[in-house]
Amino acid sequence: MHKEWVKDITNSGHYIRSGYLINEKKMPGGGGLLILEAKDYLAAKKIIENDPMIQHNLVIWDLQEWISIDGSKPEF
């Protein structure tokens, strides 16, 4: 369900990438990372809260906004 949700977000025009973290032996278990480009924090939160993994309480999550040290905006 999460993978389909990511595809739907991509198809809606947003930049989104989702994956899991692995250790030096390529073993998962360190959590996951989702990168999303949105208009602002609240827009991102509204999108993220519809993730099936979040809706079914399968993950503990925290949303953080990223700001470049030089003030530039990434181009996706």
Side-chain angles (χ1 to χ4, degrees):
M1 291 171 60
H2 172 77
K3 288 179 182 180
E4 288 301 316
W5 174 80
V6 170
K7 286 180 188 177
D8 290 344
I9 298 300
T10 300
N11 291 337
S12 74
H14 288 279
Y15 177 90
I16 186 170
R17 294 294 182 269
S18 178
Y20 54 91
L21 305 173
I22 59 174
N23 65 18
E24 62 195 24
K25 296 177 183 177
K26 307 290 187 209
M27 299 295 295
L33 180 66
L34 187 139
I35 299 172
L36 169 71
E37 182 182 35
K39 178 177 67 170
D40 56 33
Y41 185 91
L42 292 177
K45 185 175 180 186
K46 185 176 178 181
I47 294 168
I48 296 302
E49 289 176 332
N50 288 307
D51 182 341
M53 291 182 66
I54 291 172
Q55 291 184 336
H56 292 97
N57 296 312
L58 299 175
V59 293
I60 298 170
W61 64 283
D62 184 32
L63 177 62
Q64 299 289 321
E65 184 173 354
W66 180 77
I67 299 173
S68 172
I69 60 170
D70 66 3
S72 64
K73 300 281 184 186
E75 294 183 29
F76 295 105

